[in-house]
């Protein structure tokens, strides 16, 4: 990735809502990239550090309780917990890696996972605990593989966020659309947007333009091959991709998207909460936010399964726990990461926050299947999200080769085409050329 949410929507960090920034600098000098992976000794003992990302103070009691229970189970082990802000998190990881000071167990987003995993600083947990793969929901374990590394997995999946569809039922109906028959493909989604634009008279829009949020997810769902079979070059320059750009350009001109959303990130929660946009963010956490901040719009909010297109699958946005490759206490670090990510602990966490277990046993808890009376959007969102996760697969996740730099290069060309500054076919060709140059440059490092 930077692998992001399946449709690249802005996913808020659990406690503060700030996305991790991308660290463009490479690692050199110190660090553990060339270190040999530690070996298990069979003794769960020693003092390990555990770093999380902005969980204090909202989840202090929960995390400390998990730590206390682990130390009671393994009295020879001690866990030192440190919680750090989201701002500059990747930069801090770089600095710690260079200084050889990475924590033994570290909370990683897909961005920071790539940052450390690509540079050989994380232990191969498939080698340590390969049998655990079957304990996670489909796609979660595979989320932390790296190209060219075979079946190696470099982090334990922790909490996950599935993609769902949220929309304003009243505005949907005003466009002559059936709210009980939401779109299931990208093409149908665009068809709905066109109807909404025609009916709105400019009073509201259908969805945010945000090409960086839509790609490569939309293309994947349309069956467009993002990478070659060997995953060594981008291959999205196809007629289908051109059709996507042409459709976006047409919808943009017709007012299906807020004009300003093409070039900058507007507050979609505010726009949806004020009735200015029909489709909200595809996140269950968003539904909870609308319930708290815009109750009138919440009463009109409907929830459905995510647009899946030809894949028939959704992707997942996952947080994970990585193990420092050369930790002095591998057994304690690995056992603690397993402890944090087990079914009961993940269910308890999910009851306190709008997240889901990556652990399949945890996801099977009745809490996630309860739809209540079928009328409350938040309850339905939780159940729909859980149901989606049962079939979530890697297909719709952003590949690791699609870095922030690649995404930015593609988006620049898409923006020009959507605004009419260049033709769609040229935009797709130039985007692929730019993406492949970046991919080749990264391979030479």
């Amino acid at each position: 990735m930077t692998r992001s949410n399946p449709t690249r929507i802005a996913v808020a960090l659990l406690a503060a809502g700030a996305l991790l920034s991308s660290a463009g600098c490479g690692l050199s000098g110190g660090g553990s990239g060339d270190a040999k992976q530690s070996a298990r000794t069979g003794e769960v003992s020693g003092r390990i550090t555990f770093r999380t990302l902005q969980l204090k103070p909202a989840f202090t009691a929960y995390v400390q309780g998990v730590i206390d229970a682990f130390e009671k189970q393994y009295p020879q082990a001690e866990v030192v917990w440190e919680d750090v802000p989201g701002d500059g998190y990747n930069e801090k990881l770089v600095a710690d890696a260079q200084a050889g000071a990475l924590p033994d167990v570290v909370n990683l987003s897909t961005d920071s996972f790539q940052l450390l995993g690509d540079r050989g600083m994380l232990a191969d947990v498939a080698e340590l605990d390969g049998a655990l793969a079957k304990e996670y929901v489909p796609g979660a374990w595979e989320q932390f593989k790296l190209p060219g590394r075979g079946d190696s997995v470099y982090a334990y999946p922790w909490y996950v966020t599935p993609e769902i569809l949220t929309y304003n039922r009243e505005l949907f109906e005003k466009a002559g659309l059936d709210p009980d028959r939401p779109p299931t493909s990208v093409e149908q989604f665009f068809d709905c947007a066109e109807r909404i634009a025609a009916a709105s008279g400019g009073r509201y829009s259908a969805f945010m333009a945000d090409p960086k949020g839509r790609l490569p997810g939309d293309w994947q769902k349309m069956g467009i091959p993002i990478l070659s079979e060997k995953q060594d070059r981008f291959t999205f320059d196809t007629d289908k991709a051109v059709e996507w750009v042409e459709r976006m350009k047409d919808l943009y001109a017709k007012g299906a998207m807020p004009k300003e959303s093409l070039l900058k990130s507007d507050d979609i929660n505010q726009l949806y909460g004020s009735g200015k946009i029909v489709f909200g963010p595809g996140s269950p956490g968003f539904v909870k936010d609308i319930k708290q901040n815009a109750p009138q719009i919440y009463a009109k909010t409907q929830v459905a399964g995510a647009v899946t297109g030809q894949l028939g699958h959704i992707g997942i946005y996952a947080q994970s726990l990585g193990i420092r490759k050369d930790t002095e206490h591998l057994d304690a670090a690995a056992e603690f990461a397993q402890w944090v990510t087990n079914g009961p602990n993940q269910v308890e966490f999910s009851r306190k926050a709008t997240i889901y277990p990556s652990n399949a046993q945890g996801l099977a808890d009745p809490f996630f299947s309860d739809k209540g009376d079928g009328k409350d959007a938040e309850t339905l969102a939780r159940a729909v999200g859980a149901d989606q996760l049962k079939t979530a697969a890697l297909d719709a996740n952003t590949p690791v080769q699609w870095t922030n730099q690649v995404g930015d290069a593609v988006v620049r060309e898409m923006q020009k085409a959507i605004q009419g500054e260049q033709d769609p076919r040229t935009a797709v060709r130039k985007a692929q050329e730019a993406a492949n140059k970046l991919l080749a440059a990264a391979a030479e490092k």
Side-chain angles (χ1 to χ4, degrees):
M1 244 172 241
T2 55
R3 274 180 289 184
S4 177
N5 171 310
T7 54
R8 307 280 296 178
I9 59 174
V11 178
L13 287 178
L14 190 57
L19 281 174
L20 289 177
S21 60
S22 172
C25 49
L27 299 179
S28 59
S32 54
D34 298 326
K36 182 179 179 181
Q37 180 164 313
S38 301
R40 280 189 179 275
T41 64
E43 297 182 7
V44 182
S45 62
R47 188 173 188 263
I48 60 172
T49 52
F50 173 45
R51 178 181 296 170
T52 57
L53 181 58
Q54 291 189 183
L55 296 187
K56 291 181 179 181
F59 304 100
T60 298
Y62 164 74
V63 176
Q64 192 59 56
V66 170
I67 292 171
D68 292 344
F70 176 79
E71 291 179 337
K72 183 177 181 180
Q73 179 73 19
Y74 299 101
Q76 300 305 312
E78 177 187 0
V79 179
V80 178
W81 176 29
E82 59 178 54
D83 189 71
V84 299
D87 290 343
Y89 187 66
N90 281 2
E91 289 81 354
K92 179 172 176 57
L93 286 177
V94 170
D96 287 345
Q98 289 175 325
L102 281 176
D104 300 285
V105 182
V106 59
N107 181 183
L108 301 171
S109 72
T110 47
D111 288 335
S112 47
F113 159 75
Q114 183 192 355
L115 182 67
L116 298 184
D118 279 351
R119 291 160 176 82
M121 297 188 173
L122 299 174
D124 179 357
V125 302
E127 180 182 324
L128 299 174
D129 298 301
L132 285 179
K134 64 181 182 298
E135 297 189 14
Y136 296 98
V137 298
W141 185 256
E142 289 77 8
Q143 181 92 348
F144 300 102
K145 291 182 176 180
L146 291 168
R149 308 281 183 88
D151 291 328
S152 294
V153 175
Y154 294 96
Y156 294 92
W158 194 6
Y159 57 89
V160 297
T161 303
E163 179 189 5
I164 63 172
L165 190 69
T166 59
Y167 52 102
N168 185 312
R169 181 178 63 252
E170 181 178 270
L171 296 181
F172 209 72
E173 287 181 310
K174 283 184 176 180
L177 298 166
D178 184 350
D180 295 321
R181 297 181 63 186
T184 60
S185 70
V186 175
E187 293 85 352
Q188 290 176 6
F189 182 86
F190 285 163
D191 289 344
C192 290
E194 188 164 9
R195 294 274 296 273
I196 291 166
S200 72
R203 295 184 300 275
Y204 49 87
S205 303
F207 67 102
M208 305 294 278
D210 187 22
K212 190 167 186 177
R214 303 203 65 83
L215 297 177
D218 276 7
W219 286 350
Q220 290 168 307
K221 291 175 181 182
M222 292 172 69
I224 297 168
I226 304 302
L227 288 162
S228 65
E229 188 173 342
K230 292 183 179 180
Q231 297 193 328
D232 59 351
R233 60 187 177 85
F234 288 103
T235 58
F236 54 76
D237 184 1
T238 63
D239 289 344
K240 277 275 190 182
V242 174
E243 289 175 17
W244 181 90
V245 185
E246 290 173 340
R247 197 72 193 277
M248 285 284 286
K249 177 183 178 181
D250 181 59
L251 289 170
Y252 186 72
K254 290 177 177 177
M257 314 162 224
K259 295 295 183 183
E260 60 276 9
S261 69
L262 179 63
L263 301 176
K264 66 184 183 71
S265 298
D266 285 343
D267 186 345
I268 187 171
N269 286 27
Q270 192 278 328
L271 288 173
Y272 182 88
S274 60
K276 297 295 185 182
I277 196 165
V278 176
F279 290 102
S283 164
F286 158 75
V287 180
K288 183 176 182 178
D289 180 81
I290 291 299
K291 184 177 184 178
Q292 294 173 342
N293 299 314
Q296 290 183 325
I297 297 297
Y298 175 79
K300 304 172 184 178
T301 295
Q302 189 148 330
V303 175
V307 169
T308 56
Q310 293 188 19
L311 292 177
H313 293 281
I314 64 165
I316 54 177
Y317 176 85
Q319 292 275 334
S320 66
L321 296 181
I323 306 297
R324 175 176 168 162
K325 185 177 181 180
D326 58 352
T327 175
E328 294 181 7
H329 304 291
L330 182 62
D331 292 84
E335 291 297 328
F336 180 68
Q338 290 180 38
W339 183 271
V340 173
T341 61
N342 70 28
N345 281 329
Q346 289 209 34
V347 170
E348 185 181 352
F349 199 6
S350 299
R351 288 179 180 273
K352 300 177 184 301
T354 310
I355 55 174
Y356 293 77
S358 61
N359 182 285
Q361 179 186 10
L363 192 64
D365 189 283
F367 173 71
F368 298 102
S369 59
D370 180 15
K371 296 183 179 179
D373 62 5
K375 298 179 181 179
D376 180 63
E378 183 183 6
T379 304
L380 280 173
R382 182 171 61 241
V384 168
D387 190 55
Q388 295 266 266
L389 277 172
K390 292 173 184 176
T391 57
L394 191 61
D395 309 51
N397 289 336
T398 306
V400 294
Q401 293 89 339
W402 190 286
T403 61
N404 274 348
Q405 290 82 3
V406 167
D408 289 342
V410 171
V411 165
R412 280 193 293 272
E413 302 304 330
M414 298 304 105
Q415 288 171 336
K416 294 175 187 176
I418 292 169
Q419 292 182 107
E421 296 177 3
Q422 68 178 344
D423 71 272
R425 189 166 296 278
T426 299
V428 174
R429 175 180 57 79
K430 290 174 67 176
Q432 180 170 292
E433 289 173 354
N436 277 325
K437 285 181 181 178
L438 288 166
L439 186 61
E444 293 174 359
K445 291 182 178 179

